[in-house]
Amino acid sequence: MQINPPFGYTEIVPLYKNSRVRVPAAGTLPHFCLQSNAIPLSYSEFGVACRDYPLAFTSSDGGRTFGAVAVLGLAGNENLFLIDGRWDENVYLPAYVRRYPFCMARVALDSVQQADRLICVEKSCLGDDGEPMFDDAGGPLERWRPIDKLLNEYEADLERSQEMCAILADYALLEPFTLQAVLNEGGAINLGGMYRVEENKLEFLNAAQHKNLIKKRIMGRIYAHLLSLNNFARLLKRKSDAAQTRERHQ
């Protein structure tokens, strides 16, 4: 059985009913938050995340498939939403972070990917000193119920996000773009590897395509994404403010 861990996870294993999990304390962030300048985003998160982050699309296979992300920093391994090792409490915390150390993953048996997903957990978070998620009869404990709800709702939402990205790609609406800016304290930024919706192309879609975007409520996500791009200016300010804070403490 082969299970590929999602972005940021090190090694995941199936969660069994006798597993005991060291669930991180409230406010404790997984290690990948300290080293990531983008975090995956799901379909339903667009409306709230667009208030705080630039929302963009990325591709790991040369533009054949895409995923949605919230941009956290303007350089590699930079998260500008951390304050003393904790996520800024005044901004939205993406569900990708909130579900850790749990996730749902597809399993490959004899190199054949299975249809059903398996609830998994970061292996390093298992131990005899951890909390049980199920009772001796295998029934879910109260601790597990909200986690199970988050995992299942988020997984369904990720599928809607994947469908949205596939439609945007099929309609040829995504274009690559690069952020270029000059910092107040000196130096320049050249951040690439991102895609955005090319708004001018929307008017050239046919009636069926327009109807599909509206029916699947993708049109609203498109404009949330486009409006969110103004948040790159706020990221620049966060970076400048962080640099000034470091200078004062030197």
Side-chain angles (χ1 to χ4, degrees), residues 42-244:
S42 69
Y43 177 91
S44 295
E45 294 183 285
F46 269 62
V48 60
C50 71
R51 305 169 189 170
D52 299 311
Y53 310 97
L55 309 185
F57 299 91
T58 61
S59 177
S60 60
D61 54 14
R64 289 189 294 275
T65 60
F66 295 87
V69 298
V71 181
L72 310 176
L74 300 171
N77 303 329
E78 177 182 68
N79 184 345
L80 295 169
F81 292 89
L82 298 180
I83 300 176
D84 297 327
R86 289 178 175 262
W87 208 281
D88 185 347
E89 62 181 14
N90 296 310
V91 301
Y92 172 74
L93 180 62
Y96 195 94
V97 178
R98 287 185 276 118
R99 71 174 182 168
Y100 186 86
F102 304 96
C103 66
M104 295 183 77
R106 290 193 184 277
V107 177
L109 293 175
D110 298 325
S111 300
V112 178
Q113 191 175 73
Q114 305 301 296
D116 294 334
R117 286 181 170 84
L118 196 64
I119 295 177
C120 296
V121 61
E122 186 79 89
K123 186 177 180 179
S124 62
C125 292
L126 293 176
D128 293 338
D129 57 340
E131 300 177 61
M133 298 291 117
F134 301 86
D135 60 27
D136 293 339
L141 294 172
E142 196 60 36
R143 184 74 167 97
W144 173 247
R145 295 181 193 278
I147 297 172
D148 185 49
K149 183 175 184 290
L150 171 63
L151 289 174
N152 282 285
E153 288 180 353
Y154 183 65
E155 200 63 30
D157 208 43
L158 278 180
E159 291 184 1
R160 295 183 74 186
S161 182
Q162 291 166 2
E163 180 189 30
M164 174 182 68
C165 291
I167 289 172
L168 294 177
D170 183 53
Y171 293 178
L173 291 174
L174 297 175
E175 64 172 354
F177 76 101
T178 299
L179 174 70
Q180 295 179 321
V182 177
L183 298 172
N184 292 335
E185 58 274 15
I189 289 175
N190 191 23
L191 181 65
M194 301 176 290
Y195 293 79
R196 65 187 173 198
V197 171
E198 192 172 353
E199 187 176 9
N200 291 337
K201 284 188 175 181
L202 291 174
E203 65 176 296
F204 298 107
L205 297 178
N206 61 44
Q209 290 171 324
H210 269 290
K211 183 178 180 180
N212 195 37
L213 291 179
I214 294 170
K215 178 182 177 181
K216 293 184 177 293
R217 300 184 179 180
I218 294 174
M219 192 67 81
R221 270 80 190 167
I222 288 175
Y223 283 107
H225 148 68
L226 291 172
L227 289 170
S228 79
L229 298 179
N230 292 322
N231 288 329
F232 275 115
R234 298 172 67 186
L235 271 189
L236 284 166
K237 187 177 186 308
R238 278 182 175 267
K239 189 175 181 72
S240 179
D241 290 348
Q244 291 176 17

